[in-house]
């Protein structure tokens, strides 16, 4: 691993469930979970990345191209805020993904040992109406948060890229979500 790289600490030959790998990937940004999923699904990281790019194309994510499954800074690895919002919106339609993204922590019972992992999404812990989604950080991208929130039956998704700190990332995520909810007024249907 690289210095400050986020990992779950998987060992060669360790057997762990896909469910637990997904929790590790989304909550803890575990890069070894991402690589393990890539190899298990496609047989190699390179083939998985090719599949990711085909999926991005089929979803119409024209501002997105992947060079690795982890999100590391690399030539040819990029996305846009609007593509991240579109991808998150579609992923949140999956009940398992939505439940994972909204989890403050998880206990992973498969694998060589039980692991308790907290979310890196500090905003999720700050307000009950925040429902996810995913954090990221690289030197090139800065602090990133694709955030989601739900109030009165309305779900909003936002993306903040290039923030200078986690605190700034969280504040800059709250701003558009609060603004978005201010545009919705509760109403009672008339019969």
């Amino acid at each position: 691993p690289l210095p400050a790289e986020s990992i779950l600490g998987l060992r060669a030959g360790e057997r762990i469930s896909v469910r637990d790998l997904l929790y590790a990937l989304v909550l803890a940004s575990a890069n070894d979970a991402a690589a393990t999923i890539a190899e298990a699904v496609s047989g190699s990281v390179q083939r998985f990345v090719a599949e990711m790019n085909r999926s991005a194309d089929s979803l119409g994510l024209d501002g997105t191209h992947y060079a690795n499954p982890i999100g590391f800074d690399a030539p040819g690895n990029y996305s846009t805020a609007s593509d991240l919002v579109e991808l998150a919106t579609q992923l949140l339609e999956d009940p398992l993904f939505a439940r994972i993204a909204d989890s403050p922590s998880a206990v992973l019972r498969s694998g060589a040992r039980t692991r308790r992992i907290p979310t890196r999404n500090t905003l999720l812990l700050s307000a009950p109406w925040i429902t996810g989604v995913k954090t990221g950080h690289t030197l090139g991208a800065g602090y990133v948060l694709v955030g989601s929130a739900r109030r009165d039956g309305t779900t909003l998704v936002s993306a903040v890229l290039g923030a200078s700190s986690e605190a700034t990332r969280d504040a800059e995520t709250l701003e558009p979500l609060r603004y978005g909810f201010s545009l919705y007024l509760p109403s009672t249907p008339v019969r």
Side-chain angles (χ1 to χ4, degrees), residues 37-57:
I37 290 168
E39 289 177 18
V41 167
S42 301
S44 75
V45 169
Q46 294 77 14
R47 282 195 293 264
F48 188 78
V49 170
E51 288 182 37
M52 291 171 65
N53 285 315
R54 282 191 292 277
S55 292
D57 288 343

Side-chain angles (χ1 to χ4, degrees), residues 11-92:
R11 304 246 187 263
E14 183 174 357
R15 295 178 58 88
I16 188 166
S17 72
V18 172
R19 177 198 166 277
D20 282 357
L21 288 171
L22 290 172
Y23 271 94
L25 177 69
V26 176
L27 298 187
S29 294
N31 297 332
D32 52 352
T36 299
I37 290 168
E39 289 177 18
V41 167
S42 301
S44 75
V45 169
Q46 294 77 14
R47 282 195 293 264
F48 188 78
V49 170
E51 288 182 37
M52 291 171 65
N53 285 315
R54 282 191 292 277
S55 292
D57 288 343
S58 72
L59 293 171
L61 306 179
D62 297 329
T64 297
H65 187 271
Y66 301 105
N68 61 70
I70 295 168
F72 283 153
D73 291 333
N77 199 66
Y78 55 84
S79 193
T80 64
S82 62
D83 279 3
L84 292 172
V85 167
E86 177 60 29
L87 180 59
T89 299
Q90 292 192 34
L91 286 170
L92 287 168

Side-chain angles (χ1 to χ4, degrees), residues 83-149:
D83 279 3
L84 292 172
V85 167
E86 177 60 29
L87 180 59
T89 299
Q90 292 192 34
L91 286 170
L92 287 168
E93 292 177 8
D94 180 276
L96 175 60
F97 182 85
R99 188 168 53 251
I100 292 171
D102 193 23
S103 297
S105 65
V107 176
L108 311 182
R109 299 193 192 287
S110 67
R113 61 184 171 86
T114 299
R115 296 170 169 98
R116 181 172 179 78
I117 55 166
T119 184
R120 289 183 169 265
N121 185 353
T122 52
L123 188 60
L124 182 68
L125 308 173
S126 70
W129 47 276
I130 300 294
T131 59
V133 171
K134 179 76 181 76
T135 65
H137 177 261
T138 67
L139 292 176
Y143 289 87
V144 173
L145 177 56
V146 178
S148 65

